Amino acid sequence: RIVILFDNNKNMNQKTYSRVTALIFAIIAVLHIARVIWGWSAEIGGATVSPTVSYLAIIVSGYLAITGLKLSK
């Protein structure tokens, strides 16, 4: 239920925001890991994206996920 994410004023608090953000970045990191492991191709505007971009994305999104979890405590 989405109502659980909000307080009485219908505003998301900092703890919940940090957890949701951490979850989103963790999902992004896992998808990039899967892309590297299984060799999935990626294209943006018809141009093929190098797997090196996924390595960088794993580091950045993983860091942001960990930071979001730390901030949610």
Side-chain angles (χ1 to χ4, degrees):
R1 292 179 52 188
I2 196 95
V3 178
I4 295 172
L5 295 176
F6 298 96
D7 62 14
N8 292 336
N9 296 326
K10 302 291 184 207
N11 295 322
M12 189 179 293
N13 62 29
Q14 182 67 39
K15 185 175 183 178
T16 304
Y17 175 81
S18 295
R19 284 184 180 172
V20 170
T21 303
L23 177 64
I24 291 169
F25 282 115
I27 291 169
I28 291 169
V30 167
L31 288 173
H32 279 286
I33 291 169
R35 178 178 182 239
V36 170
I37 290 172
W38 288 303
W40 296 342
S41 63
E43 291 185 10
I44 297 177
T48 303
V49 179
S50 169
T52 306
V53 175
S54 282
Y55 290 114
L56 180 61
I58 291 166
I59 293 167
V60 172
S61 58
Y63 170 77
L64 292 172
I66 291 168
T67 302
L69 285 176
K70 287 181 181 178
L71 290 173
S72 71
K73 293 183 180 184

